[in-house]
Amino acid sequence: MIWSKKGVYINAIGGDCPGKTELDANILLRADHVIVEFEPQTRIEGDIQQLSQDFPVTEFHRIVNGEKAVRTNEDNLVVFDGVGFASEDFTALVFLRDLIKKQDAYELLDLIPQQQDPKNLYSVVKAHSKDRSLETDEAMAAS
């Protein structure tokens, strides 16, 4: 039995070796679009290793570059079969950074914040939040 409905997006992250899969092959066969990071690696390590070599997939970079649409309608079942190809992650981050830099206003954030209390991660949210609803009682009491 397949438990996915129309219009669902499945983010299948974690397959990392031959023989290890997470999704039933029928979900992949039923999907309207299966997106991968780097096809040769995903055919060996990803969920698509269960399928024939000619099973159609779309590499992530084709979507980012606007060559291929992810959804052609709202009922599409879309699966991302990710195996952790690091250069794709980096490419996506660079792409997003460049888009942000084209905006009129943006703020750079330190990815390794130096807060007074390292156990209070919400203090970082407070410092950058214009929406006071994100603050916790603990963060407000500390300020």
Side-chain angles (χ1 to χ4, degrees), residues 60-61 64-65 85-98:
F60 180 63
H61 72 90
V64 171
N65 288 328
F85 191 65
S87 69
E88 289 291 330
D89 297 339
F90 179 74
T91 301
L93 288 172
V94 169
F95 176 78
L96 291 172
R97 181 206 60 198
D98 292 348

Side-chain angles (χ1 to χ4, degrees), residues 28-137:
L28 296 164
L29 292 169
R30 208 175 120 224
D32 296 287
H33 302 284
V34 175
I35 303 161
V36 299
E37 297 154 300
F38 181 62
E39 185 175 352
Q41 179 183 6
T42 309
R43 293 222 182 260
I44 296 169
E45 299 178 2
D47 282 291
I48 63 169
Q49 68 181 285
Q50 309 172 67
L51 306 176
S52 67
Q53 290 295 311
D54 62 347
F55 179 78
V57 297
T58 301
E59 286 188 330
F60 180 63
H61 72 90
R62 294 191 63 213
I63 295 164
V64 171
N65 288 328
E67 298 171 24
K68 181 89 175 182
V70 176
R71 289 191 185 272
T72 53
N73 68 61
E74 64 184 32
D75 289 338
N76 285 151
L77 171 60
V78 177
V79 175
F80 176 71
D81 184 7
V83 294
F85 191 65
S87 69
E88 289 291 330
D89 297 339
F90 179 74
T91 301
L93 288 172
V94 169
F95 176 78
L96 291 172
R97 181 206 60 198
D98 292 348
L99 278 180
I100 290 168
K101 284 185 172 183
K102 291 179 184 176
Q103 305 302 310
D104 290 334
Y106 62 89
E107 180 180 357
L108 294 177
L109 302 176
D110 186 355
L111 292 178
I112 306 175
Q114 302 298 315
Q115 64 268 32
Q116 288 181 338
D117 179 1
K119 293 182 180 179
N120 181 3
L121 300 178
Y122 291 105
S123 65
V124 177
V125 174
K126 175 187 176 286
H128 295 288
S129 173
K130 292 180 184 161
D131 178 0
R132 306 280 296 177
S133 67
L134 293 176
E135 294 183 17
T136 64
D137 291 338

Side-chain angles (χ1 to χ4, degrees), residues 2-10 30 75-78:
I2 298 175
W3 293 63
S4 60
K5 297 180 180 181
K6 293 179 180 180
V8 170
Y9 169 81
I10 298 173
R30 208 175 120 224
D75 289 338
N76 285 151
L77 171 60
V78 177

